[in-house]
């Protein structure tokens, strides 16, 4: 399962770096997408050598996203901010949300030019969906982006941070970041997080995987569950709490192997 070769990008308003692997395009490759370049596929394959369960991690995250969005819409949420939304693939937030509520508003945010350009081409003129190029580490810039500016923060909002916070390695910065997005939103809003964590991976595999990502502009930090829990400060975790990703509201009972190979925890918090 791998992506087809993309043509070399033509110059645009944003500079696309095709000489260094990019985490969003590597993630797309793991999910079987086609929006990636040779440098991304080479790094992704190196990632699989270092961490054989990397694709399981990506697939488990995507499955959680579907279940989480469905859950949130059932709670009455009709506004979503997807931080670090990445390359559009089947089963994006707006597709899931609109199955339940066609009037749900979705604001995608990513700093990767290829992801943003590809998303804009796919989304077309849908007035309920937007994609903006902004760095999630700058909440004020995110707040000022065109799509997020249309969110009504006087009503509940779901902030989605799926597989993105590992790219904020400093723990203090990561907790300050989730607090900043929390403070934008009122009571009854939600935060959904998945985060890479050591389950099946050996210590050596974690080190090797971090070394692969150090070749990209976005190095990662694996966090233990107690550090991930700190990112939910100011939120009340909804049942079943912070659990391995396949165990959060599963469609079927996951096997012990499914859980271990996911190497990630997931949770949704409600702001009280």
């Amino acid at each position: 399962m791998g992506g087809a070769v993309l043509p070399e990008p033509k110059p645009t308003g944003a500079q696309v770096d095709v000489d260094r692997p990019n985490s969003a395009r590597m993630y797309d490759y793991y999910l079987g997408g086609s929006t990636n370049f040779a440098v991304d596929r080479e790094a992704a394959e190196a990632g699989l050598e270092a961490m054989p369960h990397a694709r399981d991690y990506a697939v488990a995250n995507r499955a959680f996203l579907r279940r989480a969005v469905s859950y949130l819409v059932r709670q009455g949420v009709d506004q979503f901010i997807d931080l670090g939304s990445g390359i559009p693939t089947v089963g994006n937030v707006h597709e899931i949300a609109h199955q339940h509520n066609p009037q749900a508003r979705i604001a995608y945010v990513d700093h990767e030019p290829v992801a943003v350009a590809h998303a804009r081409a796919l989304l077309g003129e849908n007035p309920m969906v937007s994609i903006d190029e902004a760095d999630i580490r700058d909440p004020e810039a995110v707040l000022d982006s065109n799509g997020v500016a249309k969110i009504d923060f006087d009503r509940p909002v779901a902030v989605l941070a799926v597989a993105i916070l590992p790219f904020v390695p400093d723990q203090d910065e990561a907790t300050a970041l989730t607090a900043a997005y929390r403070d934008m939103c009122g009571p009854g809003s939600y935060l959904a997080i998945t985060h890479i964590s050591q389950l099946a991976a050996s210590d050596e595999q974690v080190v090797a995987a971090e070394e692969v990502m150090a070749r990209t502009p976005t190095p990662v930090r694996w966090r233990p569950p107690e550090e991930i829990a700190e990112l939910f400060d100011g939120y009340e975790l909804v049942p079943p709490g912070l659990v391995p990703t396949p165990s959060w509201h599963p469609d079927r009972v996951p096997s012990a192997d499914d859980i271990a190979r996911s190497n990630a925890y997931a949770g949704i918090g409600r702001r009280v």
Side-chain angles (χ1 to χ4, degrees), residues 25-96:
R25 301 192 303 255
M26 290 168 64
Y27 192 76
D28 173 70
Y29 176 76
Y30 286 140
L31 290 172
S34 59
T35 312
N36 46 74
F37 300 102
V39 67
D40 307 308
R41 294 188 289 277
E42 290 168 7
E45 288 297 332
L48 284 171
E49 290 182 16
M51 173 44 124
H53 305 146
R55 185 165 281 139
D56 300 274
Y57 164 76
V59 170
N61 274 299
R62 177 59 54 163
F64 166 82
L65 180 67
R66 174 179 52 78
R67 301 194 306 273
V69 172
S70 297
Y71 169 86
L72 290 164
V73 175
R74 292 196 300 270
Q75 307 314 303
V77 176
D78 62 359
Q79 303 183 104
F80 295 83
I81 301 173
D82 188 3
L83 300 176
S85 51
I87 305 293
T89 56
V90 174
N92 270 325
V93 174
H94 71 281
E95 294 176 331
I96 303 161

Side-chain angles (χ1 to χ4, degrees), residues 32-251:
S34 59
T35 312
N36 46 74
F37 300 102
V39 67
D40 307 308
R41 294 188 289 277
E42 290 168 7
E45 288 297 332
L48 284 171
E49 290 182 16
M51 173 44 124
H53 305 146
R55 185 165 281 139
D56 300 274
Y57 164 76
V59 170
N61 274 299
R62 177 59 54 163
F64 166 82
L65 180 67
R66 174 179 52 78
R67 301 194 306 273
V69 172
S70 297
Y71 169 86
L72 290 164
V73 175
R74 292 196 300 270
Q75 307 314 303
V77 176
D78 62 359
Q79 303 183 104
F80 295 83
I81 301 173
D82 188 3
L83 300 176
S85 51
I87 305 293
T89 56
V90 174
N92 270 325
V93 174
H94 71 281
E95 294 176 331
I96 303 161
H98 287 168
Q99 289 175 4
H100 304 277
N101 180 357
Q103 297 306 308
R105 181 174 294 283
I106 291 86
Y108 293 114
V109 179
D110 203 285
H111 80 296
E112 154 59 23
V114 170
V116 173
H118 200 65
R120 283 181 177 148
L122 289 177
L123 294 174
E125 299 299 321
N126 189 331
M128 303 309 294
V129 187
S130 62
I131 174 72
D132 286 296
E133 186 176 337
D135 189 337
I136 70 157
R137 292 188 181 197
D138 187 350
E140 290 301 322
V142 171
L143 188 62
D144 290 341
S145 63
N146 291 331
V148 176
K150 296 176 182 178
I151 296 290
D152 180 0
F153 287 96
D154 291 329
R155 299 192 298 109
V157 179
V159 176
L160 308 177
V162 175
I164 190 64
L165 292 173
F167 300 106
V168 185
D170 182 80
Q171 182 71 3
D172 289 340
E173 182 184 2
T175 54
L177 197 60
T178 55
Y181 287 105
R182 177 199 66 211
D183 292 344
M184 290 181 186
C185 305
S189 294
Y190 292 85
L191 171 66
I193 291 176
T194 67
H195 200 295
I196 197 164
S197 192
Q198 192 172 0
L199 291 170
S202 67
D203 292 344
E204 293 76 17
Q205 287 173 331
V206 171
V207 170
E210 289 181 338
E211 288 175 349
V212 168
M213 294 308 299
R215 294 163 48 191
T216 78
T218 50
V220 299
R221 173 176 177 173
W222 292 50
R223 286 184 169 92
E226 57 269 22
E227 290 187 1
I228 302 170
E230 292 176 2
L231 305 177
F232 284 102
D233 183 43
Y235 291 89
E236 185 177 273
L237 283 167
V238 303
L242 184 65
V243 295
T245 306
S247 300
W248 197 93
H249 289 231
D251 297 325

